[in-house]
Amino acid sequence: MSALLDLLMGVFRQPTLGGVALELASLAAPLWLAALVGLLIGWAWRPRWALAVVGEAPPETPALPPPRATADDSCRNNELVAVVPRTAVAAATPVEDEGLAVDTGDLMHLRRLVKEKDGGPSWIHMMDKTLPTMRYQAWRRDPEGGPPQYRSSTIFEDASPEVVRDFFWDDEFRIKNTWDDMLLQHETLEECTKTGTMVLRWVRKFPFFCSDREYIIGRRIWASGKTYYCVTKGVPRPSVPRCNKPRRVDVYYSSWCIRPVESRNGDGSMTACEVLLFHHEEMGIPREIAKLGVRQGMWGCVKRIEPGLRAYQIARTAGEPLSKCAAMAHVNTKVDPDELITAEDKTEASSTNNAEAEKPKHWTGNIPKVILVGGAVALACTFDHGLLTKALIFGTARRFAGPGRR
C-alpha cells in the first residue's frame, strides 16, 4: 500500500497542473484501452437478451411466412390460418393439412399430453369423485408464463367411444339438454367436409360479475382404431369483429382423448369409456380467483355430464337424427397407431439432438476473464514502482477469474 501512495505522491509532485494531468492520463490509458476492447469484443458476442434491450430481432429466429390457403372446394373458409401450439412437432405438415385451422402438429401435441411427455411441470392431484356409473379424477399444474392447466380422467360405464365422441361434439344437444349450461350460442363459421375440421364461434355465460365470453375455436378429430383424439383450440379470425361484450378469449385449449377401457364390474370386458381432457384458457380473470372458482365449481359442472350422456344414449337408441355438429364428428382423419409411434420417436430423437447441440460452450465464454486479466497486466505494467502493487493487482484478478476454474 505504501508503494501505491508513493506512486500517487510522485504524480502530484509534478511542477505544473498539465504535468499532473499527463501522468494521470498515462496511468489510466491502459485501463481505458482494456475497457474499450472489452466493450467491443463483448458486443460482438452479445447474448440474446441484449438484442431485446436494443429492440433488434434475433437473427436465429426469422419470421415465418404465413401458411398458404388451399383451394379445396370442400373446405369453405374465409381466411385459413393454421395455429400450432408452442410445443407442436416441428415436422413438415402433410399436404392435406395445409391451410387448416387444426393440423397434425396439434395431434402430436395432444399425444404427448396423453403420454405425459410434453415437457411441462408435474401434475398436482386435485380431486377424486365416484358415482355408480362414473369416476372422475382431476389434476392441475401452473406453467410459467401461462394460465393454469387442468387434466382430468372421466370413466363412464356402459358407454362406447363413438357415442361419447358425438356427445361432446354435439353443440345443439349441449344447449337443448342444458348439461353444459354455460354455452349460450354456437355458430359454424367454416367447415371442411374432407377432414372434418371446423371453425366455430361460441358465446359462454360467465358469473354475474363478469361479462360473457366469446370464443373462436377450431376443432378436428383423428381416429386411431377405437381411440379418438379430439382437438379444440382458439384460432385467430380477424374477419370476425371484436366487441366489448361478450369479451373474446384468445388463449383457449380444450382437447380430449376418448378410448375404451376395462369395466370396473370385474369381468374384463372393455365396455367402459375413458375421456382424458386437457384444458386451459386465459379468461381475463385474476388467476388466483380463477383457480379458486374452478376448484369450487368443478365437481358441480362435471356431475351434470353423466345424466346428459345417458339422455344422449337414449335419444340415439330411439333413432333421433344426428345434428350437423354430431355428423361432422363422423368425418375424421384415420391414423395408423404404428405410424404415430414412429413419428413420435423421430420427434423425440430430434429434440434430444437439439439439446445435445446446445451443450458445448463456445470459447468466447472466457472473454470476460481474458479482458479482466489483460487489464490487470496493463495496470501492473504501468505501476512499475514496486512489486507490492503488482502483487495486489494480480491477486485481485486471480480472485475474480479463479471461480470459473473451480
Side-chain angles (χ1 to χ4, degrees), residues 2-19:
S2 60
L4 180 60
L5 291 176
D6 291 341
L7 179 62
L8 292 175
M9 291 301 295
V11 171
F12 287 106
R13 289 194 191 101
Q14 295 294 324
T16 63
L17 184 61

Side-chain angles (χ1 to χ4, degrees), residues 212-223:
D212 295 336
R213 296 298 193 261
E214 178 189 56
Y215 300 79
I216 307 297
I217 61 172
R219 64 185 189 184
R220 181 179 176 183
I221 298 176
W222 284 265

Side-chain angles (χ1 to χ4, degrees), residues 248-280:
R248 183 169 299 178
V249 175
D250 293 311
V251 178
Y252 177 81
Y253 185 84
S254 190
S255 299
W256 306 274
C257 173
I258 302 174
R259 58 191 180 186
V261 293
E262 184 177 345
S263 173
R264 64 183 180 187
N265 59 20
D267 62 359
S269 59
M270 303 290 286
T271 56
C273 177
E274 181 183 32
V275 179
L276 284 173
L277 168 67
F278 301 89
H279 181 96
H280 68 265

Side-chain angles (χ1 to χ4, degrees), residues 32-273:
W32 281 106
L33 181 60
L36 180 61
V37 173
L39 180 63
L40 294 176
I41 297 178
W43 183 251
W45 281 278
R46 58 193 179 276
R48 291 188 177 183
W49 57 261
L51 297 174
V53 172
V54 297
E56 297 181 17
E60 293 83 359
T61 55
L64 296 176
R68 296 175 299 169
T70 59
D72 190 346
D73 293 337
S74 65
C75 299
R76 300 190 298 276
N77 35 20
N78 297 324
E79 46 163 343
L80 292 175
V81 180
V83 180
V84 181
R86 285 174 293 180
T87 55
V89 62
T93 302
V95 175
E96 62 270 17
D97 282 357
E98 287 186 4
L100 295 179
V102 186
D103 58 25
T104 305
D106 298 297
L107 166 65
M108 303 306 293
H109 177 64
L110 177 55
R111 286 268 299 182
R112 286 194 293 272
L113 287 171
V114 170
K115 299 175 69 176
E116 299 187 44
K117 291 185 177 181
D118 66 309
S122 300
W123 294 98
I124 303 170
H125 193 264
M126 293 177 57
M127 186 179 298
D128 192 338
K129 299 283 187 178
T130 302
L131 295 175
T133 56
M134 185 185 82
R135 182 186 180 186
Y136 179 78
Q137 297 182 81
W139 298 261
R140 191 198 79 241
R141 67 183 182 183
D142 298 298
E144 294 184 5
Q149 298 179 359
Y150 297 92
R151 169 177 174 257
S152 67
S153 168
T154 309
I155 298 179
F156 300 102
E157 295 290 328
D158 301 317
S160 69
E162 290 76 18
V163 171
V164 174
R165 173 202 65 195
D166 296 352
F167 169 71
F168 281 110
W169 229 239
D170 197 332
D171 294 338
E172 294 180 18
F173 191 80
R174 282 177 183 257
I175 296 178
K176 176 183 176 182
N177 181 263
T178 68
W179 71 264
D180 182 3
D181 60 353
M182 292 183 65
L183 183 60
L184 299 177
Q185 301 175 28
H186 72 93
E187 174 189 2
T188 301
L189 303 179
E190 306 165 10
E191 63 181 21
C192 177
T193 56
K194 182 178 179 181
T195 63
T197 305
M198 304 176 70
V199 176
L200 303 100
R201 176 182 176 269
W202 278 3
V203 176
R204 296 181 68 81
K205 180 175 66 178
F206 266 56
F208 68 91
F209 55 84
C210 298
S211 62
D212 295 336
R213 296 298 193 261
E214 178 189 56
Y215 300 79
I216 307 297
I217 61 172
R219 64 185 189 184
R220 181 179 176 183
I221 298 176
W222 284 265
S224 177
K226 300 284 285 184
T227 299
Y228 296 93
Y229 298 94
C230 311
V231 174
T232 302
K233 67 173 188 176
V235 295
R237 284 297 181 271
S239 59
V240 182
R242 292 176 179 267
C243 303
N244 292 331
K245 294 182 179 181
R247 179 176 176 177
R248 183 169 299 178
V249 175
D250 293 311
V251 178
Y252 177 81
Y253 185 84
S254 190
S255 299
W256 306 274
C257 173
I258 302 174
R259 58 191 180 186
V261 293
E262 184 177 345
S263 173
R264 64 183 180 187
N265 59 20
D267 62 359
S269 59
M270 303 290 286
T271 56
C273 177

